[in-house]
Amino acid sequence: MARMVKVEHSVFALPFAYIGIFLAAGGWPGARPFWLLTLAMVAVRSFAMVVNRLVDLPFDRHNPRTMDRPLVTGEIRPWGAVAAIVVCAVVFWGAASALNPLCKALAPWALVWAAGYSLAKRFTWLTHFWLGSVLALAPLAGWIAFDPAFVPTAGLFFWGVLFWVAGFDILYSCQDVAIDRFMGLHSVPARFGVGPALLLACFAHIVASLFFLMAGWSAGLGPVYFGAWAVVTLLLIGEHLLLAEDDLSRINVAFFTFNGVIAIVLGLGVVVETLL
């Protein structure tokens, strides 16, 4: 089950949830909201991942890159995936309900939106931006976990995460362009080609960097955060320098390593600033 949900991928969203809650609290938010938020984030991310694996099963059986996934090999049966989806949804709703009434009211809609991404590639090449919007809920969730209100700073982080995730998901999908076209699935590389996809991903990351800059300014953060932002911007540049239209051999380094570090560095920049 751990291989199917890829718990390590929580590094993409969890730091941004912590950004939201630490900014809302102006420092340490307290053990109870912190751990409830952590539980909710891991549960909803696992829910979305298992839903994606289940609905993509007919396609994963034909993709050489995904043929070793547990649902494809039979290591996990579909009923097991359904059970995991139900458990994760219940845990998420329970954790959100324990935070405050606004989180409780919004929890079902967050589940619907997260599950909907898995179907997006069937009808739109904007699927990458849908995924971005799912992960971009993290800073909003973190904020309302402590302060049940929507504020501009959390909104700016929302847009930063949306474009950041969309950009690296476009890069990652470049390796599946042939199978996506064969299976009739939609993505930026399948629709426009790898070259234009790389350019659009670069543009998305430029926009993401600008939103992260404006979010720091909106929150009144100082040199620690802006130093972290500068490192993140350099990492985004480096991510694109690793890849070329005719050479995607370092896609896993660009996708997981660089972006995992990006999330952690920006998260630490906010946490340290609020604790100083």
Side-chain angles (χ1 to χ4, degrees):
M1 186 63 71
R3 280 207 302 123
M4 181 168 65
V5 302
K6 289 188 175 291
V7 175
E8 66 273 16
H9 285 191
S10 296
V11 72
F12 295 141
L14 202 51
F16 288 97
Y18 293 153
I19 283 175
I21 198 170
F22 273 80
L23 284 176
W28 172 242
R32 185 176 184 276
F34 178 84
W35 289 114
L36 283 172
L37 174 66
T38 301
L39 179 61
M41 290 298 301
V42 172
V44 73
R45 197 217 63 84
S46 300
F47 164 87
M49 181 67 79
V50 180
V51 169
N52 183 259
R53 292 290 187 262
L54 188 60
V55 301
D56 274 2
L57 183 56
F59 306 116
D60 288 346
R61 289 193 175 109
H62 299 281
N63 188 338
R65 184 177 62 81
T66 58
M67 284 183 176
D68 64 342
R69 287 178 174 173
L71 276 172
V72 177
T73 63
E75 180 182 340
I76 296 176
R77 309 299 294 177
W79 65 262
V82 172
I85 289 168
V86 173
V87 170
C88 290
V90 170
V91 170
F92 171 69
W93 185 85
S97 299
L99 283 165
N100 58 58
L102 180 59
C103 291
K104 179 180 180 180
L106 294 177
W109 300 106
L111 290 172
V112 170
W113 191 250
Y117 153 70
S118 298
L119 303 175
K121 66 186 70 176
R122 289 159 171 78
F123 60 85
T124 178
W125 57 266
L126 293 172
T127 178
H128 317 281
F129 295 91
W130 191 323
L131 176 62
S133 72
V134 173
L135 271 70
L137 294 176
L140 295 179
W143 191 287
I144 66 173
F146 187 87
D147 175 21
F150 295 101
V151 299
T153 295
L156 289 168
F157 274 111
F158 170 91
W159 287 107
V161 174
L162 188 155
F163 280 98
W164 167 60
V165 172
F168 74 65
D169 191 57
I170 290 171
L171 294 179
Y172 193 69
S173 67
C174 285
Q175 62 188 324
D176 290 336
V177 60
I179 192 68
D180 283 351
R181 286 172 175 169
F182 176 76
M183 300 297 295
L185 296 174
H186 299 272
S187 69
V188 166
R191 174 69 180 273
F192 302 105
V194 172
L198 294 177
L199 290 175
L200 182 57
C202 182
F203 173 76
H205 282 161
I206 292 171
V207 174
S209 177
L210 291 175
F211 271 116
F212 290 145
L213 179 64
M214 291 187 290
W217 172 81
S218 173
L221 298 176
V224 174
Y225 174 80
F226 290 108
W229 168 81
V231 171
V232 163
T233 301
L234 290 174
L235 286 170
L236 287 171
I237 294 171
E239 182 177 349
H240 289 272
L241 292 177
L242 283 177
L243 305 174
E245 184 174 359
D246 58 351
D247 182 10
L248 299 174
S249 60
R250 290 172 289 187
I251 189 67
N252 286 324
V253 175
F255 169 71
F256 185 76
T257 305
F258 271 59
N259 288 296
V261 173
I262 283 169
I264 292 170
V265 168
L266 209 63
L268 284 174
V270 170
V271 170
V272 171
E273 279 278 7
T274 59
L275 294 176
L276 287 178

